[in-house]
Amino acid sequence: MGIEVVVEGLTKSFGKQSIWRDVSLTLPAGEVSVMLGPSGTGKTVFLKSLIGLLKPEKGRVLINGVDMVNSPEKDIYETRKLFGLMFQDGALFGSMSLFDNIAFPLREHTRKKESEIRRIVMERIEVVGLLGAEGKLPGEISGGMRKRAGLARALVLDPQIILCDEPDSGLDPVRTAYISQLLIDLNAQLDATMLIVTHNLDIAATVPDNMGMLFLRRLVTFGPREVLLTSDEPVVAQFLGGRREGPIGMSEEKDAATLAAEAGALVPAAPRVIVPQLEPSPGLPPRQAVTRRRQRVMGMIDSLPPAARSAIRDTYAKNARAATLTMPPAGSGA
Ligand SMILES: Nc1ncnc2c1ncn2[C@@H]1O[C@H](COP(=O)(O)OP(=O)(O)OP(=O)(O)O)[C@@H](O)[C@H]1O
Ligand SMILES: [Mg+2]
């Protein structure tokens, strides 16, 4: 069962370069969250800070009472075993077969027998659709297969918190759709808390329960998906619309003069439609997070912006109607 991750006032810089300041958010237990943000805003640095691989100079990351920033290194090391991290570049060892790559965390962190390791690794290889490729070297397979191998490796220790750094980068639209479904299916099977970093608008629109965005060294927003999807913050609207007009420039933020010049020529964005979230594949259990999330979100609904409020009420009303339609008629004996 997933574990809540509480981030409080996290601040990180490298030398004089400030990455982000005062980031606070909670990844709710067992829910799926997405972090958006233009290139270079520190999304990968954020993931690495959550598992204690990078040290922010201020703030806390609390997991089961352990602070991944300030606790003794041995507590951080133990807590890190709760995580599965899928790196942006796959981070596979080039000289090892996929099998050995995926088995690596088990050999490193557990004392399981080789037969047991084989069973677990083959199970994960099947989940990510790589059966038959286990003997290949990373250099002999496609980028998409390497991504999935990285995901399989992230899954071998039965993680309760899964972090995925751009699971879609380098994938074609069809493979991206499969990865989206795979992430939701994993959530249904494991009830793990998940954070996905992505630029992909289809993943952002269909996978998460919650969404946030990093920009200009701060967390612009984090909360139920409907908040970001209906947000009229210029940076959010520009990102979700994939437009050039707005505060995000090619290399960094634009200056005020450029922005003012654009404002006159701004074409209104197409109205944003909230598409339904993906459901687990047929035959899988329902996601346990759904009921918890509904209670949580309904408990905070009065504090949300009006557009988000009505989008949330809409979604849950539709779900309720769908549930009534699929219920067996009274007296059918079912
Ligand atoms: N170990 C490091 N030492 C110094 N600077 C670093 C280090 N790691 C990252 N940075 C800097 O931190 C900034 C944020 O990097 P990060 O990789 O987190 O961006 P990102 O949001 O993941 O970008 P992308 O979407 O392109 O992957 C960059 O300017 C990068 O150069
Ligand atoms: Mg990155």
Side-chain angles (χ1 to χ4, degrees):
M1 141 98 197
I3 304 173
E4 180 177 83
V5 178
V6 180
V7 177
E8 292 175 356
L10 217 56
T11 296
K12 173 73 190 158
S13 42
F14 291 106
K16 274 191 286 182
Q17 187 193 6
S18 161
I19 305 297
W20 25 252
R21 286 190 210 113
D22 206 21
V23 175
S24 298
L25 58 85
T26 296
L27 302 178
E31 294 186 25
V32 184
S33 303
V34 153
M35 185 64 82
L36 301 170
S39 258
T41 45
K43 302 181 299 298
T44 299
V45 169
F46 184 70
L47 292 186
K48 289 183 174 168
S49 301
L50 293 186
I51 66 170
L53 287 179
L54 284 174
K55 294 286 167 191
E57 53 275 9
K58 268 203 270 178
R60 308 197 291 172
V61 175
L62 295 171
I63 294 155
N64 280 346
V66 174
D67 176 0
M68 299 302 280
V69 182
N70 305 295
S71 290
E73 209 44 52
K74 80 169 178 8
D75 296 348
I76 293 178
Y77 184 83
E78 277 308 306
T79 307
R80 197 174 288 150
K81 292 181 190 164
L82 300 172
F83 281 89
L85 172 59
M86 176 191 185
F87 286 92
Q88 186 164 1
D89 50 13
L92 302 172
F93 301 107
S95 58
M96 276 187 199
S97 69
L98 290 193
F99 184 95
D100 289 334
N101 263 290
I102 296 166
F104 189 81
L106 290 165
R107 291 176 177 151
E108 187 77 4
H109 285 293
T110 73
R111 294 191 184 153
K112 291 188 193 301
K113 288 206 289 286
E114 207 44 40
S115 57
E116 174 70 357
I117 289 179
R118 176 152 198 95
R119 188 186 63 75
I120 298 170
V121 171
M122 292 313 289
E123 217 177 272
R124 298 301 185 270
I125 283 182
E126 182 168 6
V127 167
V128 301
L130 283 176
L131 270 185
E134 59 271 16
K136 295 226 157 85
L137 294 173
E140 298 169 337
I141 59 174
S142 76
M145 291 167 86
R146 279 197 291 275
K147 282 271 162 189
R148 282 180 282 148
L151 184 57
R153 188 174 60 183
L155 296 176
V156 287
L157 292 176
D158 291 329
Q160 298 178 58
I161 307 166
I162 300 177
L163 309 177
C164 292
D165 199 349
E166 298 196 19
D168 53 284
S169 68
L171 298 192
D172 63 60
V174 175
R175 277 359 183 288
T176 302
Y178 277 115
I179 270 265
S180 296
Q181 186 65 54
L182 181 56
L183 292 168
I184 283 292
D185 288 354
L186 281 173
N187 182 253
Q189 288 162 301
L190 305 174
D191 194 28
T193 307
M194 297 168 65
L195 179 61
I196 303 159
V197 160
T198 183
H199 296 291
N200 186 281
L201 298 177
D202 290 325
I203 295 187
T206 57
V207 175
D209 300 299
N210 309 293
M211 285 166 89
M213 183 164 179
L214 286 169
F215 184 58
L216 286 189
R217 294 168 283 290
R218 67 188 183 97
L219 183 68
V220 183
T221 160
F222 184 87
R225 66 197 283 265
E226 293 87 349
V227 174
L228 201 136
L229 291 172
T230 59
S231 166
D232 48 20
E233 280 242 21
V235 56
V236 174
Q238 181 189 3
F239 198 86
L240 292 182
R243 286 179 292 138
R244 274 181 294 124
E245 300 80 12
I248 310 172
M250 183 63 195
S251 55
E252 53 192 280
E253 67 271 23
K254 294 176 188 169
D255 58 42
T258 317
L259 267 179
E262 266 175 21
L266 202 59
V267 237
R272 273 185 264 140
V273 188
I274 298 193
V275 297
Q277 199 178 5
L278 285 172
E279 302 268 350
S281 299
L284 290 182
R287 297 171 56 225
Q288 292 179 51
V290 170
T291 317
R292 291 196 301 259
R293 194 250 182 196
R294 182 188 172 126
Q295 275 173 1
R296 193 177 62 75
V297 170
M298 291 316 276
M300 69 192 281
I301 196 157
D302 291 331
S303 67
L304 301 176
R309 233 181 284 164
S310 65
I312 290 168
R313 293 217 168 92
D314 245 34
T315 308
Y316 284 135
K318 270 191 207 121
N319 289 356
R321 271 200 303 277
T324 332
L325 288 176
T326 54
M327 242 155 41
S332 68

